Amino acid sequence: MLLFLNVILTTWVVFYLHPMETAIYSDMNEYVYRADQITNGLYDLNHFFQPIGYSLWIACFRYIDGGGWELLKLSHVLLVLLSVYFGWQTARLLLPAKWDIGVLFLLSFNMQWIQLASYALSETLYTFLITMLLWSTVRWAKYSRSRDAVM
């Protein structure tokens, strides 16, 4: 239920309260500019400058969406959901029984995290990657299975 509420809240913020296409400035402007260059077939070494890969992420989702923002925004909603899920699963592995529900609550309603998803910034993608890495590392340490180490 908390995961569902997180999706509803994040979707409302990202799609309605603060759509990312209405606030493109500073770093975001550069990421979108690079993404547009990639989409138009122009490749430059600067495209691989910080944050590595995020301009390509934007380019892929906007290209599939015909230049729109809906799929990119949806990807941010899903990245927040998966980050919350992996954070919760990590808590389930590390904490005593039922403490994980408190962690799930805190992660599900972390407003800074949800608000950050409404910007065209790499932090949402990288938070997901770090959270997934933490979860797989804890699983590997706990169960010593090679499939967890490969992740």
Side-chain angles (χ1 to χ4, degrees):
M1 182 65 171
L2 288 173
L3 287 172
F4 176 73
L5 291 174
N6 172 264
V7 170
I8 296 298
L9 181 60
T10 307
T11 300
W12 177 68
V13 170
V14 171
F15 280 87
Y16 302 106
L17 182 64
H18 188 265
M20 69 175 58
E21 69 270 20
T22 64
I24 302 296
Y25 51 87
S26 186
D27 294 357
M28 296 171 281
N29 190 41
E30 188 64 29
Y31 306 155
V32 172
Y33 176 70
R34 287 186 214 152
D36 290 343
Q37 287 181 324
I38 292 169
T39 303
N40 292 326
L42 176 65
Y43 300 100
D44 189 328
L45 287 178
N46 289 328
H47 296 155
F48 299 102
F49 188 62
Q50 300 174 5
I52 297 172
Y54 188 67
S55 293
L56 183 59
W57 180 270
I58 294 173
C60 288
F61 282 99
R62 292 201 59 215
Y63 179 79
I64 293 168
D65 199 18
W69 291 87
E70 304 308 308
L71 283 179
L72 181 62
K73 292 189 287 190
L74 181 61
S75 77
H76 276 230
V77 171
L78 292 176
L79 288 171
V80 170
L81 170 65
L82 291 171
S83 298
V84 169
Y85 177 77
F86 284 127
W88 173 46
Q89 292 303 308
T90 302
R92 290 183 72 186
L93 293 169
L94 293 175
L95 299 176
K98 297 187 181 183
W99 284 32
D100 63 303
I101 299 300
V103 171
L104 178 59
F105 180 83
L106 292 173
L107 292 174
S108 293
F109 299 106
N110 183 330
M111 291 312 296
Q112 293 87 356
W113 200 349
I114 292 169
Q115 180 62 28
L116 195 57
S118 68
Y119 290 94
L121 290 170
S122 61
E123 280 80 351
T124 302
L125 175 61
Y126 292 164
T127 299
F128 161 72
L129 293 173
I130 291 168
T131 308
M132 187 178 70
L133 178 63
L134 174 65
W135 170 77
S136 66
T137 302
V138 169
R139 281 180 53 99
W140 178 66
K142 186 168 186 162
Y143 301 120
S144 298
R145 294 187 299 217
S146 58
R147 72 175 182 187
D148 294 319
V150 170
M151 193 170 247

